């Protein structure tokens, strides 16, 4: 909700630095950064729906997966010889392409599906649930069940979804060779651009009266209702937008990682997504991005030294954040700057833009 | 300044034989009352008399088991809460229902909005007439100098006033004020009575309270409820001197 002023003023240098990253860090680090930035688009959506609207969802993995699978299906089809089927289908003894794969042949349609499928599904689902006035922990549990059933469904439909292994081994997208030397850098910049656009879009939304109403609904839904507002559409729109952002994040992630599988979209990844935002601070857009990067870089480091320890660390981090840093890293930064600002010092002059 | 409406004024609200049943407990039992446009009415009764439940029923939070609520001649029982507000009834809750994370001004702006559809909130600009309305109400409730303070940081009495302001800002014709002086000292109570007087005429006001000193400060016609039923109706004088009302209040009613 409240933007920390020093970061709001620093956004231009931060973005410039991010643009220059391919020359500043190693190829491996760049691939991680790109992947984590893709995930931070999901976190931006989660900040909107959880931080602003107060709707805790433990099912963002579903929408991340829908976006990821939508693009992955297209890429599987784009790399095929005419008349043949994706490799895993042949292994499962499938002889004809499932009907619902057909529309994904079109690159335009498949790209639209990255946001349309999660959006339509989230809109319909949340309308049904919010209309019944299901809130709080009950809503969170329903979304968790959704994540569980989505992952289970993917695994069980081996022939059509690639089962437990998911979809992998992509060659080309929009006619570009994904294995070209320049591909990772271009992909990184595309991701960065989408992060900036999504960030700016959600920032606008938060500052609008729509955003004000979301916060009011979070803090006093009854009061808002008895001021004459139907709160259901507001919550449905917030949840749907968050799902669409998760879909974009999932599609970009699939490009970066070269794979999408049930293990990336189930219950545990969905909880992890909430932890990113909790660590960064759910009241801040910067927090959502910073939290995603911090948690995932830490995960990468810890997993390489102590394989298997990550889930324990994750649990510990979550307990610590909930117990001691309820407003996350950004809340801490805000408190620290406020404390240093209390010392007598001249107010910084607002730089002309 | 006691406002007693003449019999010729049109009926704004009629509650007609309403019964509310909570699993066999009749919180409201075949209760009827009417309000005329522009009047000030005070609904009193001891704790548990069903006053707040009546409010809940009028605004659609609680459904009546039988009976009807009509507003401007149209039945409103069963409509969704927001639809009842849009028709012109708004309620202040017993515990102040301000939004703590928004400023006083934003709380009022939220209430003053006329077009409440979600896509109309995507712009950043606030229509000039709504902004003017907010400033006007800030003056009426006497919180103009507190406009940019977060509502959660206000004192309890100020929260009550800001919520009265919010209810007024919706432009509702009928205001239901549920215990507007709860938790207030004598000075604040007197100011609240003044504030409510300034609203009567432009709005029809139904005040719920059980504090007799505040009721006397308000004046107006008084309706007494007891155990979910209608007990008495009259001027403050008549009610104060009514032996049965006194008995109810002192807990000596024989039943």
């Amino acid at each position: 909700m409240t933007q920390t002023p020093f970061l709001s003023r620093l956004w231009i240098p931060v973005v410039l630095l991010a643009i220059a990253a391919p020359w500043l860090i190693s190829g491996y680090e760049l691939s991680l950064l790109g992947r984590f930035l893709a995930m931070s688009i999901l976190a931006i959506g989660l900040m909107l729906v959880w931080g602003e609207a107060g709707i805790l969802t433990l099912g963002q993995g579903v929408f991340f997966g829908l976006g990821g699978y939508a693009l992955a299906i297209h890429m599987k089809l784009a790399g095929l010889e005419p008349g043949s089927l994706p490799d895993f289908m042949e292994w499962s003894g499938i002889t004809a392409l499932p009907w619902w794969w057909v529309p994904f042949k079109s690159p335009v349609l498949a790209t639209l599906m990255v946001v349309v499928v999660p959006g339509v599904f989230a809109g319909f689902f949340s309308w049904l649930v919010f209309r019944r006035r299901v809130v709080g922990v009950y809503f969170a549990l329903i979304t968790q069940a959704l994540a569980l059933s989505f992952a289970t469904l993917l695994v069980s439909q081996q022939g059509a979804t690639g089962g437990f292994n998911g979809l992998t081994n992509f060659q080309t997208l929009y006619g570009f060779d994904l294995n070209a030397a320049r591909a990772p850098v271009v992909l990184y910049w595309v991701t960065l651009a989408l992060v900036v656009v999504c960030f700016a879009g959600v920032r606008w939304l938060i500052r609008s009266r729509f955003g004000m109403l979301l916060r009011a609904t979070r803090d006093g839904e009854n009061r808002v209702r008895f001021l004459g507002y139907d709160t259901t559409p507001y919550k449905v729109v917030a949840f749907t937008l968050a799902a669409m952002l998760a879909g974009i994040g999932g599609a970009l992630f699939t490009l970066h990682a070269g794979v999408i599988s049930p293990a990336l979209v189930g219950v545990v990844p969905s909880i992890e997504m909430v932890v990113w935002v909790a660590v960064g601070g759910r009241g801040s857009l910067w927090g959502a991005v910073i939290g995603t990067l911090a948690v995932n870089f830490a995960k990468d480091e810890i997993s390489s030294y102590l394989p298997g320890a990550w889930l324990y660390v994750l649990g510990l981090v979550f307990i610590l954040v909930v117990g001691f840093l309820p407003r996350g890293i950004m809340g801490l930064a805000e408190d620290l700057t406020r404390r240093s600002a209390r010392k007598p010092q001249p107010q910084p002059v607002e730089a002309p833009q | 300044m006691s406002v007693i409406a003449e019999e010729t004024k049109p009926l704004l609200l009629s509650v007609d034989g309403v019964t509310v049943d909570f699993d066999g407990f009749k919180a409201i039992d075949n209760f009827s009352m009417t309000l005329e446009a522009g009047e000030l009415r005070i609904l009193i009764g001891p704790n548990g008399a069903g006053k707040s439940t009546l409010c809940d029923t009028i605004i659609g939070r609680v459904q009546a088991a039988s009976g009807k609520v009509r507003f401007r001649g149209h039945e409103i029982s069963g409509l969704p809460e927001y639809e009842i507000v849009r028709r012109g009834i708004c309620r202040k809750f017993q515990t102040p229902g301000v939004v703590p994370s928004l400023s006083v001004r934003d709380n009022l702006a939220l209430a003053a909005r006329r077009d409440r559809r979600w896509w109309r909130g995507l712009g950043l600009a606030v229509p000039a007439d709504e902004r003017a309305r907010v400033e006007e109400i800030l003056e009426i409730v006497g919180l103009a100098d507190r406009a940019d303070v977060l509502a959660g940081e206000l004192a309890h009495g100020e929260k009550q006033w800001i919520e009265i302001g919010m209810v007024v800002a919706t432009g509702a014709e009928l205001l239901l004020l549920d215990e507007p002086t709860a938790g207030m000292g004598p000075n604040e109570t007197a100011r609240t009575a003044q504030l409510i007087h300034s609203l009567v005429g432009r709005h029809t006001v139904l005040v719920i309270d059980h504090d007799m000193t505040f009721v006397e400060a308000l004046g107006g016609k008084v309706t007494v409820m007891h155990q979910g039923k209608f007990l008495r109706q009259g001027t403050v004088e008549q009610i104060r001197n009514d032996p049965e009302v006194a008995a109810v209040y002192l807990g000596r009613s024989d039943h």
Side-chain angles (χ1 to χ4, degrees), chain B residues 21-241:
Chain B
D21 198 322
F22 292 138
D23 293 324
F25 168 69
K26 284 187 174 158
I28 301 181
D29 192 357
N30 196 18
F31 181 86
S32 301
M33 74 180 278
T34 55
L35 285 180
E36 286 151 4
E39 81 166 302
L40 166 65
R41 178 73 62 88
I42 306 155
L43 184 62
I44 65 168
N47 274 330
K51 306 179 301 275
S52 287
T53 307
L54 179 68
C55 252
D56 283 339
T57 313
I58 295 172
I59 61 166
R61 196 186 195 184
V62 164
Q63 298 302 326
S66 61
K68 282 185 174 130
V69 180
R70 284 195 199 82
F71 183 66
R72 291 192 193 126
H74 300 285
E75 187 172 348
I76 57 167
S77 344
L79 291 176
E81 305 96 323
Y82 56 85
E83 183 56 40
I84 292 175
V85 179
R86 288 174 192 182
R87 298 220 178 164
I89 305 179
C90 196
R91 174 198 184 170
K92 193 204 88 65
F93 287 88
Q94 210 167 329
T95 44
V98 294
V99 182
S101 55
L102 296 182
S103 71
V104 169
R105 181 177 277 119
D106 282 347
N107 265 286
L108 288 173
L110 201 67
R113 229 162 100 190
R114 285 294 162 272
D115 193 339
R116 302 180 181 96
R117 291 169 299 181
W118 66 269
W119 62 89
R120 299 306 300 270
L122 296 178
L124 299 181
V126 180
D129 58 329
E130 286 178 21
R131 218 175 315 145
R133 183 95 184 105
V134 168
E135 297 306 319
E136 185 191 331
I137 288 166
L138 278 170
E139 291 296 332
I140 294 176
V141 296
L143 287 171
D145 52 334
R146 307 280 274 156
D148 296 312
V149 178
L150 288 185
E153 291 169 11
L154 292 179
H156 185 79
E158 291 174 314
K159 278 185 193 159
Q160 298 272 32
W161 292 329
I162 203 69
E163 203 189 355
I164 294 175
M166 287 164 79
V167 169
V168 173
T170 61
E173 193 174 351
L174 173 59
L175 313 181
L176 310 180
L177 306 181
D178 196 349
E179 302 209 9
T181 61
M184 283 186 179
N187 286 341
E188 287 177 318
T189 302
R191 244 193 95 183
T192 308
Q194 240 174 11
L195 172 60
I196 292 172
H197 273 149
S198 74
L199 301 173
V200 177
R202 268 180 300 172
H203 302 271
T204 307
V205 184
L206 176 66
V207 178
I208 293 182
D209 222 301
H210 51 206
D211 171 6
M212 277 313 280
T213 41
F214 175 60
V215 171
E216 280 166 24
L218 273 183
K221 199 193 265 181
V222 180
T223 303
V224 188
M225 249 182 130
H226 179 52
Q227 293 177 339
K229 293 192 181 85
F230 177 90
L231 186 72
R232 278 288 179 282
Q233 185 157 304
T235 63
V236 178
E237 287 286 299
Q238 291 164 341
I239 293 300
R240 194 175 38 203
N241 299 326

Side-chain angles (χ1 to χ4, degrees), chain A residues 58-84:
Chain A
L58 297 174
Q60 286 312 84
V62 173
F63 308 114
F64 185 80
L66 287 173
Y69 273 94
L71 197 67
I73 289 172
H74 169 69
M75 290 192 288
K76 286 308 273 183
L77 294 173
L80 285 184
E81 301 291 321
S84 62

Side-chain angles (χ1 to χ4, degrees), chain A residues 75 170-180 182-183 186:
Chain A
M75 290 192 288
F170 311 123
Q171 308 300 332
T172 150
L173 177 65
Y174 309 144
F176 294 107
D177 181 3
L178 291 172
N179 299 313
R182 275 183 332 126
V186 173

